[in-house]
Amino acid sequence: MRLVRYGDAGSERPGLIDDDGVLRDLSAHVADIDGAHIGPESIAKLAAIDTGSLPKVDRSPRLGPCVGGVGKFLCIGLNYSDHAAETGATVPPEPVLFTKATSAIIGPDDTVRLPRGSKKSDWEVELGIVIGSAAKYVDEADAERHIAGYCVINDISEREYQLERHGTWDKGKGCDTFGPIGPWLVTRDDVTDPANLSMWLDVNGKRYQDGSTATMVYKPAFLVSYLSQFMTLHPGDVISTGTPPGVGMGQSPQVFLKDGDVMTLGIEGLGEQRQAVVADR
């Protein structure tokens, strides 16, 4: 299933995209697409619905973040061997973990706002994991059953704040609007191999990232198991799993986002995003 949240920011309604690409309303069956409603039993009930009986949404509304009420927005750094190489880094012996503020979360086509004074804001198309059931000390072999599904994430990053202003990466990662999520939450049963999906990102029509989750070092099941050793993963938590090469920091000369730019990005089977970039004054 392709689950969505649609409508004005802060008042999104639950929906799904049917096999014909039509948006249908799920409000009669579920209050929201959030941690309370994406567990295995809830997903099974939604899957049993005759989609043809659901009301069509005839207009083309805004799509919000594909999961609401995110508790933790966890991110993995340097998780693609080819991206690590382009930045001059080595793949670490354990996953690099950082967080993005949940206030960074926006819809897949919402406006990205560069923070005041930003000169090195960058893009990163990433595979997102959405947790469906609580995971604590889970083995890798059992980890997949805790995943509700997958989505597209743009892990936008202010490189000066991240790398040059001391301390952790978080202040360059968690700026407002720096976490577009969606358009859809694709349930786990509809993603045959999350470690073999093509992914891409363009800026102003120029292709910068053209990669695959196949070069991911630490795979989704491992990441869920690994993170669950340090903290309980709760339903609705989101894990952003790293990016392939082609980020602005890796260009020669380097290229960063500016007012008026437009990013488009997507992952095979998980949909596409489009964000206009505006600089805060």
Side-chain angles (χ1 to χ4, degrees):
M1 285 185 297
R2 293 177 290 176
L3 301 175
V4 300
R5 302 172 68 249
Y6 71 93
D8 294 338
S11 58
E12 291 92 348
R13 297 167 65 90
L16 63 74
I17 307 296
D18 70 16
D19 291 341
D20 295 320
V22 175
L23 172 59
R24 294 182 178 269
D25 184 72
L26 275 173
S27 298
H29 299 272
V30 66
D32 199 357
I33 306 300
D34 61 6
H37 300 97
I38 55 173
E41 291 185 5
S42 297
I43 293 293
K45 289 179 180 178
L46 293 179
I49 297 170
D50 174 13
T51 56
S53 69
L54 297 170
K56 292 182 180 179
V57 180
D58 294 324
R59 60 193 187 281
S60 297
R62 166 190 175 270
L63 294 182
C66 61
V67 58
V70 175
K72 294 190 287 295
F73 194 172
L74 306 171
C75 303
I76 305 300
L78 299 174
N79 193 29
Y80 282 65
S81 55
D82 40 9
H83 170 59
E86 79 168 340
T87 61
T90 56
V91 175
E94 293 189 33
V96 171
L97 171 65
F98 62 92
T99 63
K100 290 177 85 79
T102 55
S103 53
I105 296 173
I106 58 173
D109 301 326
D110 289 348
T111 299
V112 167
R113 306 194 69 88
L114 305 180
R116 290 180 181 176
S118 169
K119 297 178 181 177
K120 295 184 179 181
S121 288
D122 203 348
W123 55 83
E124 295 189 10
V125 59
E126 305 204 359
L127 174 70
I129 300 168
V130 180
I131 298 298
S133 60
K136 178 72 170 177
Y137 299 132
V138 300
D139 294 331
E140 184 176 354
D142 296 326
E144 281 193 359
R145 66 184 180 88
H146 295 276
I147 297 174
Y150 301 91
C151 62
V152 181
I153 295 176
N154 191 356
D155 175 21
I156 302 163
S157 311
E158 215 300 341
R159 302 300 190 186
E160 180 188 4
Y161 301 176
Q162 175 191 357
L163 301 171
E164 301 174 30
R165 296 187 63 173
H166 305 289
T168 65
W169 288 6
D170 298 38
K171 58 192 169 188
K173 294 285 192 171
C175 303
D176 293 350
T177 76
F178 272 25
I181 297 178
W184 315 311
L185 168 57
V186 182
T187 52
R188 175 167 50 90
D189 57 303
D190 277 344
V191 182
T192 303
D193 186 0
N196 189 28
L197 302 174
S198 61
M199 54 204 310
W200 57 273
L201 183 145
D202 296 351
V203 180
N204 302 329
K206 179 178 178 180
R207 179 69 40 100
Y208 282 95
Q209 291 190 275
D210 188 4
S212 170
T213 59
T215 64
M216 186 186 298
V217 178
Y218 300 110
K219 310 297 184 183
F222 175 86
L223 290 173
V224 171
S225 172
Y226 180 82
L227 294 174
S228 78
Q229 309 307 310
F230 302 101
M231 66 194 79
T232 302
L233 301 175
H234 292 106
D237 286 350
V238 173
I239 305 168
S240 199
T241 59
T243 198
V247 299
M249 181 175 64
Q251 305 301 308
S252 182
Q254 293 181 331
V255 179
F256 295 113
L257 295 168
K258 61 184 184 306
D259 188 86
D261 284 346
V262 175
M263 292 178 283
T264 52
L265 58 144
I267 299 178
E268 178 184 354
L270 303 185
E272 299 182 4
Q273 301 183 355
R274 180 187 185 279
Q275 296 112 29
V277 177
V278 174
D280 273 349
R281 308 297 185 189

